[in-house]
């Protein structure tokens, strides 16, 4: 995962790659535990443009959300996901809906980095 804490003040940009599974997401989150910029005072952009989300079922999304329940007090208060393509966008919208019901955090899904930055500037776009 590429971790960029410097390009945008107050924003941690994360660029994982590969096939998304519950295990892969757990590994990505474990990697973030050692990153000083992954804290409530920073916002996070997960740029998932290089992630294959096509294998994620609703059950897999629910497993990911269950894993997030133990991380309520860890990480940012606002997270925006960048999706490439309609399928990824739809999957991420489903994920954010499930996650919002279980883990309080502001989340958005957009299609580009400029939209992600605008979402953070506006407070919510989605």
């Amino acid at each position: 995962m590429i971790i960029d804490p410097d390009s945008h003040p107050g924003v941690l940009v994360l660029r994982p790659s590969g096939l998304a599974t519950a295990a892969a997401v757990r590994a990505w989150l474990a990697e973030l535990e050692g990153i000083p910029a992954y804290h409530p005072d920073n916002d996070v952009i997960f740029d998932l443009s290089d992630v294959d989300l096509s294998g994620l079922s609703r059950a897999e999304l629910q497993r990911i959300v269950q894993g997030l329940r133990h991380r309520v007090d860890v990480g940012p208060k606002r997270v925006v996901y960048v999706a490439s393509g309609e399928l990824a966008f739809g999957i991420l919208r489903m994920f954010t809906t499930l996650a919002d019901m279980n883990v309080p955090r502001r989340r958005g899904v957009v299609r580009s980095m400029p939209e992600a930055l605008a979402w953070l500037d506006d407070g919510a776009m989605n």
Side-chain angles (χ1 to χ4, degrees):
M1 172 170 13
I2 296 170
I3 300 168
D4 176 3
D6 301 318
S7 292
H8 307 283
V11 178
L12 177 63
V13 179
L14 304 168
R15 291 184 183 96
S17 61
L19 181 64
T21 63
V25 171
R26 280 192 303 274
W28 296 336
L29 292 174
E31 186 176 345
L32 294 176
E33 289 177 11
I35 307 300
Y38 190 73
H39 60 77
D41 293 335
N42 279 339
D43 294 319
V44 170
I45 296 173
F46 274 98
D47 182 352
L48 301 176
S49 300
D50 293 328
V51 174
D52 180 357
L53 300 171
S54 65
L56 288 177
S57 65
R58 183 176 176 90
E60 192 93 3
L61 291 175
Q62 289 173 323
R63 280 192 288 279
I64 293 168
V65 169
Q66 287 172 355
L68 292 177
R69 287 183 183 157
H70 305 290
R71 303 177 57 81
V72 171
D73 297 325
V74 177
K77 293 180 181 146
R78 297 189 311 163
V79 179
V80 61
Y81 303 92
V82 177
S84 63
E86 293 303 314
L87 177 64
F89 188 84
I91 290 169
L92 288 169
R93 289 295 300 243
M94 185 173 18
F95 166 74
T96 60
T97 299
L98 290 170
D100 286 347
M101 291 187 289
N102 293 281
V103 182
R105 191 162 282 148
R106 296 204 49 208
R107 294 177 180 85
V109 180
V110 298
R111 290 180 168 88
S112 69
M113 280 298 293
E115 282 183 84
L117 293 167
W119 187 90
L120 291 171
D121 284 344
D122 294 343
M125 195 172 102
N126 221 339

